[in-house]
């Protein structure tokens, strides 16, 4: 079974702090994604990566950066946390191809970040 | 990726079939329909996906209309543990990561 592990379940940070959210997957997936989830707004894609050291912006990349130094690990970085970044952050992974297009996404259980 | 429309909420009696509709009228020929669900305080969980044929697995059945403009997820015997938010999304087929657009989904409440 695919396992996507997010390092923290709950996190409280102060405004202006640099915040690292870590995600590790154990299935050798090429693709990894970061979403944020807010009531009434659904899941919104922040960044994704389809290979080591590769990244692409999603729909709401402002205020975030990412790092993919190893295939299994995808980090989301908030350079200077702000209160409007208080949210649930979800990491997901999927293989590039499995013989059928569009393999499903496998999600972690999320990190609930509160910025005070 | 095509946009999807789902009803915001639905109720279902325990033991009965839950039929969750999804409209994706702008779907293109190479886009698959995916269903996920999110139980409270957990990440979304993949349920099923399909292109144009009906699909069934141990969790659910997926019925896609012939014109592919809508689909229905069927949970044949809903239980209280099926209470969750259900997301219908479509994803473009390519060799790189597809961007999945999750809307607000349908909140399914299974009642005893």
């Amino acid at each position: 079974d695919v396992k996507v592990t997010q390092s923290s379940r709950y996190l409280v940070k102060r405004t202006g702090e640099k915040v690292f959210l870590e995600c590790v997957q154990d299935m050798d997936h090429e693709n990894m994604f970061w979403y944020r989830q807010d009531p009434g707004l659904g899941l919104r894609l922040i960044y994704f990566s389809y290979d080591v050291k590769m990244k692409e912006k999603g729909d709401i990349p402002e205020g975030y950066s990412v790092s993919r130094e190893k295939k299994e690990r995808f980090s989301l970085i908030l350079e200077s946390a702000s209160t409007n970044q208080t949210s649930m952050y979800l990491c997901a992974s999927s293989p590039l191809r499995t013989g059928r297009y569009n393999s499903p996404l496998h999600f972690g259980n999320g990190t609930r970040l509160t910025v005070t | 990726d095509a946009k999807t429309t789902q009803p915001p909420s639905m109720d279902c009696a325990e033991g009965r079939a839950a039929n969750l509709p999804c409209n994706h009228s702008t779907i293109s020929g190479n886009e698959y329909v995916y269903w996920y669900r999110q139980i409270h305080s957990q990440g979304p969980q993949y349920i099923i996906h399909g292109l144009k044929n009906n699909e069934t697995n141990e969790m659910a059945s997926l019925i896609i209309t012939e014109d592919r403009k809508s689909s229905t997820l069927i949970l044949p015997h809903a239980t209280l543990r099926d209470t969750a938010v259900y997301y219908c999304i479509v994803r473009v087929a390519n060799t790189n990561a597809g961007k999945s657009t999750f809307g607000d989904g349908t909140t399914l409440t299974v009642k005893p």
Side-chain angles (χ1 to χ4, degrees), chain A residues 23-63:
Chain A
C23 175
V24 177
Q25 49 94 3
D26 65 359
M27 284 301 290
D28 203 35
H29 286 172
E30 288 80 8
N31 304 326
M32 296 188 76
F33 306 80
W34 275 107
Y35 294 86
R36 64 177 284 177
Q37 185 174 32
D38 302 286
L41 296 176
L43 272 73
R44 293 180 290 168
L45 182 63
I46 305 171
Y47 266 98
F48 64 101
S49 167
Y50 52 87
D51 202 352
V52 175
K53 298 191 185 294
M54 304 300 289
K55 62 184 179 184
E56 287 198 25
K57 293 180 179 179
D59 300 317
I60 52 163
E62 297 78 19

